[in-house]
Amino acid sequence: MRKFAWMLLASLPCLAWGQQNPWTPEDIIHTVYVDNAEFSKDGSELVWSQRKGLKEEDKFVSQLYLARLGEDSPKPVQLTRGKSSESNAVFAADGQSLYFLSTREKGKSLWKLNLGGGEPEEVHKFENGIGSLQRLGSTELLFVAGEGKTLYDITHEKDNTNIVEDTLHWNPRRLYAFNLKDKKIRRITENRYRIGGYAVSENGNYLVYTEITSPDYGTDGNPKPNYVLLDLQTGSSQTLFRELQEPGGFVFTRSGSGFYFSATSSSDPQWNGAGIRELYFYDLAAGTYTKVPLGWENGLGGAYYLNGDDVIAQLANGPLRKVRYYQKRGTAWAGMDFEWGNRKEHSAVLAFSEASGRILYRHSTASQLPEYYLATVRIGRKGVTLEGTQTLTSLNDKLKKKPIAKSEIIYWKGANDEEVNGILYYPKGYEAGKQYPLVLSIHGGPTGVDQDQWSERWSTYPQILTDKGAFVLKPNYHGSGNHSQAFIESIKNGNYYSLEQIDIYNGIMHLNSLGLIDMDKLGTMGWSNGAILTTWMTLKYPDMFKVAAPGAGDINWTSDYGTCRFGVTFDQSYFGGAPWDDTNGKHYNEWYIKYSPIFEIEKIKTPTIIFHGSEDRAVPRDQGWEYYRGLQQVGQAPVKFLWFPGQPHGLQKITHQLRKMKEEIAWIDTYLFGTAKAENEAFKKDSPLASLLKLQEQMAADGLLGTSVDGELYPAMVSLGKDSIAIGAHEVTLAQYHAYTGESFDRLQANRPVTGLSAEKISGYLLWLSTQTGDTYRLPNAKEAERLHKKARSAYKNQNNLNQWAGYALTALDVPGLRQKMEGLKASLIHDGGSHPMVKLAEGAEVFDLGGNVAEYYMDGEALKAYDYSAYDFVDPMDPETHPEAGHTGFRVVREQ
């Protein structure tokens, strides 16, 4: 009977390892994406970058990857590693090597990597810097750099004075060509000011570039840049596009007939006001440009790619995506839709090769992590199809196993009775008819947009909030980008705040009318303009929100005008003038006062946590100080202010991103969910005291390890999560085992692991334990034992094993001598269970004595085998195998849940 029971227990299926597998801040910030993808000239290779976090260096770096494309599935190869960040990769003309820029050597060198193998080599060091690489012909690379330091620069560089603006000594940045063969440099342009962006024709005949003519341009948008077309054969040049707003994105056709570019359409081009981007074509022979008739009110919504004289355009489509193909027929264009199948409106083009017809695109939704695909574009008479679709690379596989919130695009009536939209994320485990908390996660810009695509990051993380049982709404309020020009410009000239306030409030009311949300549990958060609107909502609805978490947001527009790096253009556009302009009979612009929350801050009652980077020039840190000081002085609600040293508008350091998220989550837990636990700040969770307290929790009243139920002693168990398994906090002890046998035992050794048992005796104990409790107990199976053994090896340095007894870094060479010394040892090396630090298996799940004390049995099919280490075993860093003696092997139980 016992043999049959043993086989029955051993054959039970292995349930999922781990607990509910919630999302963590680390999961969010270390999600990997494909960026900066480029095909080689013939389309046979693809290079891209992936970001990686370096914990010790506290930074993220971009590393290069390559795939060779053929009939077989692509096999990505990592090209660069280490602590530097690589960018601006350019294929050599023959496709055999790759040139790129790097942060190594202070970012002043050009690097080359032979794609046949080997390490990157430094090609040349540029003392005046190097940036914006492009290939010119087969033997040269174009780049942007300065001319070097003048005597004035050298004379005045001896201290750390920061000259904010100096128009008299604003030295030019020009275009140069570097010859890859003889390593000589020649100047291409003679511009007086600074080149901002450029493009060169494939045949090397023409160059078009943007010349920024003032250090003030980023602030006030004036004077307007020069847009210069340069004939590289004759040296002649002409200035173009004076009547257009911010033309850019120049891309020459392969034939050299002309180039495409985009420009903004807005009602206030003098201030570079927000609007839509429209597509144009410049005909070199005719010397004129034509607007491409997109037939789409919202204009462009992303990068565009050329196929001969035709163009693949990504269009602005609100919360969705849209890609169209425009065939150039003489001076006209005919548009055709892409046929994406079930990936329609959720696919973004990342790269295209004219030579091979291949396209790289990303597909994702707000509930699906990105996938990256290669396909061949086929142009039909009525539409564009994709053939031979292949997966480029599979990223974030561990994250795909986590629970992901359901999401959908929702629509409601906002300001002016116009339709607005947003992305709604549902709580994990949502039950119809039940009301849940709601957190607003408001995008920045204001011309940002939230689309139905994966967008978890340190500033917005619906997966974590939905884990906690909340709805998350990302509203696309009036002024959001990717919509029509009228929608984008609707909040200009004194409407800033007023329309968005109605949009967001109506969105909340819409969800309430559907019976989805608990109106007593609302929170709001956002970064930049999302913080600005978060503050405004708590000001206008003082009793609505239980928590607010604004980051890098304005509170005083009168000071923003002068301190923001683009304050003049932004504020002139949205507030209809400068602060000192007389409006409505007043000697100042009243909108700057009316829309500055600092002047009404006494109304805010919401517990607020504020974040800011110390080097933020988009929304300077002092806005955060004003915000904090106002709330602190008014005293209507709790307030906390964190600013991050050395950080710009977007946080860059790993530690700062994590600190922001964890502080924010704790604040939301406290004031919205009410789940925050008061913590003893003097108590370290992984301290010896913590282990002792945990051990005490797992003791019966008489000091025996385990749980006492109706006079019987059972093992203490640790749950690894809902719908998973529970595992023994310790190996089964003498006292626990003899509760089954009824035999007497040495009370002084009651809490020591029982060892040396046969398979039959272990089977008997498991059957008794299952019968007594009504639960199913078993030994770990092979897969579980493999994972436990891996944990044991990672934790062995703090556990009871031979390495610990040696008192030094024991090596395999010394083990025989040490064992010889132990031959006369009469005392046992095995300790009571729980005598060493706990080992974390999963979030909230820790066990004792993994990595030492006694080895443990598991079932491999019908065979009894051992894993882990005993006090007598050497943990060999070079050998994962273990061969414990039976007399030093016990067992840890698993309970099915």
Side-chain angles (χ1 to χ4, degrees), residues 313-333:
Q314 301 185 92
L315 305 179
N317 194 24
L320 294 167
R321 292 190 170 275
K322 186 174 182 65
V323 182
R324 297 203 83 198
Y325 189 92
Y326 292 89
Q327 281 186 316
K328 189 173 187 299
R329 298 171 178 173
T331 58
W333 285 262

Side-chain angles (χ1 to χ4, degrees), residues 484-497:
S484 69
Q485 183 172 334
F487 190 85
I488 291 170
E489 294 198 292
S490 62
I491 62 172
K492 291 181 179 180
N493 296 314
N495 288 319
Y496 196 79
Y497 287 119

Side-chain angles (χ1 to χ4, degrees), residues 695 705 730-731 733 751-753 831-835 848-849 853:
L695 186 68
L705 287 176
H730 320 82
E731 292 107 348
T733 65
N751 284 335
R752 290 196 180 181
H831 292 160
D832 285 355
S835 298
F848 287 94
D849 304 319
N853 213 27

Side-chain angles (χ1 to χ4, degrees), residues 624-865:
W625 270 113
E626 291 187 52
Y627 196 175
Y628 168 74
R629 190 60 69 207
L631 291 179
Q632 180 263 330
Q633 286 295 301
V634 169
Q636 291 268 51
V639 60
K640 188 173 185 177
F641 178 32
L642 290 84
W643 65 268
F644 302 97
Q647 295 299 281
H649 192 55
L651 303 183
Q652 296 176 345
K653 287 189 174 183
I654 294 173
T655 51
H656 289 158
Q657 290 186 7
L658 290 176
R659 182 67 182 271
K660 181 266 181 186
M661 292 181 71
K662 292 177 180 180
E663 289 274 0
E664 192 168 49
I665 291 167
W667 194 263
I668 295 171
D669 282 345
T670 300
Y671 294 104
L672 181 64
F673 299 121
T675 57
K677 297 178 181 178
E679 294 190 10
N680 186 326
E681 295 181 359
F683 176 66
K684 192 169 184 284
K685 292 181 179 179
D686 58 352
S687 63
L689 177 59
S691 292
L692 186 60
L693 289 170
K694 178 65 72 174
L695 186 68
Q696 183 174 290
E697 292 175 5
Q698 297 164 349
M699 283 184 172
D702 55 2
L704 296 177
L705 287 176
T707 303
S708 181
V709 180
D710 297 330
E712 295 287 4
L713 186 66
Y714 305 137
M717 305 299 292
V718 174
S719 174
L720 296 181
K722 183 181 179 182
D723 299 327
S724 184
I725 61 173
I727 192 167
H730 320 82
E731 292 107 348
V732 173
T733 65
L734 279 169
Q736 293 167 9
Y737 178 72
H738 287 302
Y740 150 63
T741 67
E743 298 174 3
S744 61
F745 57 91
D746 185 349
R747 176 75 186 192
L748 294 176
Q749 299 188 21
N751 284 335
R752 290 196 180 181
V754 63
T755 59
L757 297 181
S758 65
E760 186 177 16
K761 289 183 177 180
I762 296 174
S763 174
Y765 176 77
L766 292 169
L767 181 60
W768 171 81
L769 186 59
S770 300
T771 302
Q772 288 288 114
T773 62
D775 295 318
T776 300
Y777 286 83
R778 58 177 174 84
L779 290 183
N781 59 34
K783 190 173 183 180
E784 293 160 345
E786 179 182 358
R787 292 171 175 170
L788 287 166
H789 190 64
K790 186 176 180 180
K791 285 284 186 181
R793 286 183 59 79
S794 66
Y796 80 92
K797 291 183 179 180
N798 294 315
Q799 301 299 322
N800 183 21
N801 46 57
L802 194 61
N803 306 59
Q804 193 81 353
W805 285 106
Y808 62 93
L810 185 62
T811 68
L813 298 176
D814 284 339
V815 170
L818 193 62
R819 292 196 190 282
Q820 183 180 13
K821 189 68 176 177
M822 291 167 56
E823 290 177 359
L825 187 66
K826 296 180 180 179
S828 174
L829 300 185
I830 297 174
H831 292 160
D832 285 355
S835 298
H836 290 261
M838 297 176 289
V839 177
K840 182 178 178 180
L841 297 183
E843 195 63 38
E846 296 171 311
V847 299
F848 287 94
D849 304 319
L850 198 58
N853 213 27
V854 298
E856 300 174 11
Y857 284 122
Y858 72 97
M859 284 301 297
D860 186 3
E862 297 183 15
L864 187 65
K865 296 182 180 180

Side-chain angles (χ1 to χ4, degrees), residues 457-740:
R457 52 194 182 276
W458 58 268
S459 58
T460 175
Y461 39 86
Q463 298 307 322
I464 291 179
L465 296 172
T466 53
D467 272 346
K468 295 176 177 291
F471 277 100
V472 176
L473 175 63
K474 293 186 171 186
N476 287 318
Y477 46 81
H478 275 80
S480 297
N482 230 46
H483 291 73
S484 69
Q485 183 172 334
F487 190 85
I488 291 170
E489 294 198 292
S490 62
I491 62 172
K492 291 181 179 180
N493 296 314
N495 288 319
Y496 196 79
Y497 287 119
S498 58
L499 303 187
E500 304 99 297
Q501 172 189 335
I502 298 171
D503 293 340
I504 295 170
Y505 178 84
N506 287 4
I508 296 171
M509 292 301 106
H510 173 66
L511 296 178
N512 185 46
S513 70
L514 298 175
L516 297 177
I517 61 173
D518 183 345
M519 289 295 291
D520 291 327
K521 293 183 178 180
L522 304 183
T524 179
M525 62 186 292
W527 196 264
S528 193
N529 201 73
I532 291 168
L533 292 177
T534 284
T535 304
W536 190 255
M537 295 301 290
T538 61
L539 175 70
K540 292 301 177 180
Y541 306 100
D543 299 312
M544 177 174 279
F545 298 97
K546 292 294 185 290
V547 68
D554 282 283
I555 194 162
N556 185 351
W557 294 107
T558 63
S559 56
D560 175 87
Y561 185 91
T563 58
C564 170
R565 62 179 169 83
F566 51 82
V568 177
T569 55
F570 187 94
D571 297 354
Q572 285 275 2
S573 181
Y574 286 106
F575 299 129
W580 51 81
D581 288 343
D582 299 347
T583 59
N584 296 329
K586 299 180 175 63
H587 65 277
Y588 56 88
N589 187 334
E590 63 181 345
W591 284 333
Y592 281 81
I593 305 297
K594 180 180 178 180
Y595 290 134
S596 289
I598 189 67
F599 296 107
E600 297 183 86
I601 203 165
E602 76 280 359
K603 296 178 181 178
I604 296 178
K605 302 177 183 178
T606 307
T608 303
I609 185 167
I610 304 164
F611 305 98
H612 238 105
S614 71
E615 305 307 308
D616 192 342
R617 283 297 317 282
V619 182
R621 185 193 68 193
D622 287 351
Q623 293 285 338
W625 270 113
E626 291 187 52
Y627 196 175
Y628 168 74
R629 190 60 69 207
L631 291 179
Q632 180 263 330
Q633 286 295 301
V634 169
Q636 291 268 51
V639 60
K640 188 173 185 177
F641 178 32
L642 290 84
W643 65 268
F644 302 97
Q647 295 299 281
H649 192 55
L651 303 183
Q652 296 176 345
K653 287 189 174 183
I654 294 173
T655 51
H656 289 158
Q657 290 186 7
L658 290 176
R659 182 67 182 271
K660 181 266 181 186
M661 292 181 71
K662 292 177 180 180
E663 289 274 0
E664 192 168 49
I665 291 167
W667 194 263
I668 295 171
D669 282 345
T670 300
Y671 294 104
L672 181 64
F673 299 121
T675 57
K677 297 178 181 178
E679 294 190 10
N680 186 326
E681 295 181 359
F683 176 66
K684 192 169 184 284
K685 292 181 179 179
D686 58 352
S687 63
L689 177 59
S691 292
L692 186 60
L693 289 170
K694 178 65 72 174
L695 186 68
Q696 183 174 290
E697 292 175 5
Q698 297 164 349
M699 283 184 172
D702 55 2
L704 296 177
L705 287 176
T707 303
S708 181
V709 180
D710 297 330
E712 295 287 4
L713 186 66
Y714 305 137
M717 305 299 292
V718 174
S719 174
L720 296 181
K722 183 181 179 182
D723 299 327
S724 184
I725 61 173
I727 192 167
H730 320 82
E731 292 107 348
V732 173
T733 65
L734 279 169
Q736 293 167 9
Y737 178 72
H738 287 302
Y740 150 63

